[in-house]
Amino acid sequence: DAKTTQPNSMESNEEEPVHLPCNHSTISGTDYIHWYRQLPSQGPEYVIHGLTSNVNNRMASLAIAEDRKSSTLILHRATLRDAAVYYCILRDWGGSNYKLTFGKGTLLTVNP
Amino acid sequence: EAQVTQNPRYLITVTGKKLTVTCSQNMNHEYMSWYRQDPGLGLRQIYYSMNVEVTDKGDVPEGYKVSRKEKRNFPLILESPSPNQTSLYFCASSLSTGRSPLHFGNGTRLTVT
C-alpha cells in the first residue's frame, strides 16, 4: 500500500500562512489524497481531500503537484486552534487493498 | 447528529480478562476500521471492514478480533488482553469510496494491568 512522508514537526506564528508538505512518491492513479488533523485529546477530524486538482474549503486549501507525488496543505491564517497533528493519507479504491496507513503525522505548533 | 460512538471512553482491566470495545455509526457507512495510537508511533490500523461479514487485517492485528454482523456496529474484541495492548483506540467509518471522508469516534483509553 502506498505510504506518505511528512515532517515530524513544524512551527508557525498566529495569523501567518502555514504550508504543510506531504510526499507520496508511490501514489497510484486511483489514490485520493486526504488530510486529517487531531487536536489534543480528540479523535482525528477530516480536513480536505483531492485527486488531481487543487481544492479549497472553509478549513484549508490543498495543492497537489502535477505529478501527484507530493501535496501541500495550506492554512491561510493560522490560529491557536490550528495547533494539532496533521496527517496525510492515501485512499485507494481502485483495487482490493483498503488498508489505510496514517503514520505519525506533522505536529504543528502555532505561536501567539 | 451524524456520529461514530465508542464505548467505553475509559477502561482499566487486568491481564487475561476478555473485553469488548463497541463502535457504532449512524451514517449507513459501509467501511469501518479500528486504530490504536501510541506515543511516538502515530495511528496504526488494527482491522477494517468493507461491509457486513467482510473484515480484514490492518497493520497490527495480533491479539485482536473483530466482527461485523450489522452494518452499524463494529466491535473490537480482546480475548486475552496484555499490558502491551494499553493504548488509545479509535474507531472510524466512511462510505466505501476513495473520496469519502473518514469519521472518527472520540476514542477509548484502555489500560491493562
Side-chain angles (χ1 to χ4, degrees):
Chain A
D1 49 325
K3 298 288 194 293
T4 61
T5 305
Q6 301 176 252
N8 289 333
S9 62
M10 290 186 67
E11 203 166 324
S12 173
N13 295 320
E14 203 174 5
E15 298 190 5
E16 290 184 355
V18 181
H19 291 233
L20 297 164
C22 181
N23 287 316
H24 27 79
S25 57
T26 59
I27 191 170
S28 77
T30 54
D31 280 334
Y32 284 84
I33 302 160
H34 283 239
W35 283 82
Y36 293 82
R37 72 178 187 181
Q38 187 175 20
L39 303 170
S41 303
Q42 295 187 25
E45 65 174 346
Y46 167 79
V47 177
I48 200 167
H49 76 273
L51 186 61
T52 57
S53 304
N54 295 345
V55 184
N56 300 297
N57 67 20
R58 64 174 179 83
M59 290 180 71
S61 296
L62 176 60
I64 301 173
E66 196 169 334
D67 63 4
R68 303 212 319 129
K69 294 188 176 185
S70 66
S71 62
T72 302
L73 180 70
I74 303 166
L75 306 178
H76 294 285
R77 292 180 70 225
T79 70
L80 297 178
R81 289 176 296 178
D82 291 322
V85 177
Y86 287 79
Y87 297 96
C88 164
I89 68 164
L90 303 177
R91 296 202 75 183
D92 172 18
W93 300 97
S96 60
N97 184 8
Y98 302 109
K99 289 172 66 172
L100 297 178
T101 302
F102 271 78
K104 301 177 187 179
T106 297
L107 174 63
L108 174 66
T109 301
V110 180
N111 300 314
Chain B
E1 179 190 352
Q3 59 185 0
V4 176
T5 304
Q6 291 180 230
N7 281 299
R9 288 294 307 276
Y10 301 92
L11 179 59
I12 301 173
T13 190
V14 297
T15 299
K17 186 176 181 181
K18 181 180 178 180
L19 66 90
T20 299
V21 183
T22 64
C23 175
S24 181
Q25 50 91 7
N26 61 1
M27 295 167 280
N28 202 34
H29 285 166
E30 296 90 3
Y31 183 90
M32 298 185 75
S33 61
W34 276 103
Y35 298 85
R36 63 177 289 174
Q37 186 170 39
D38 303 289
L41 296 178
L43 278 165
R44 294 181 292 167
Q45 191 178 47
I46 304 171
Y47 268 95
Y48 62 92
S49 169
M50 289 306 299
N51 213 323
V52 176
E53 303 293 1
V54 182
T55 63
D56 207 346
K57 296 177 181 179
D59 292 318
V60 289
E62 296 78 17
Y64 304 94
K65 285 177 54 177
V66 292
S67 69
R68 188 90 182 272
K69 293 182 169 39
E70 305 167 282
K71 198 171 187 179
R72 64 184 295 125
N73 296 322
F74 190 45
L76 180 68
I77 303 157
L78 284 71
E79 295 269 4
S80 182
S82 63
N84 64 12
Q85 292 177 299
T86 292
S87 187
L88 180 58
Y89 292 86
F90 290 101
C91 178
S93 74
S94 78
L95 294 172
S96 59
T97 67
R99 57 181 177 272
S100 174
L102 283 165
H103 297 255
F104 283 83
N106 287 327
T108 295
R109 186 168 292 282
L110 171 66
T111 302
V112 184
T113 61

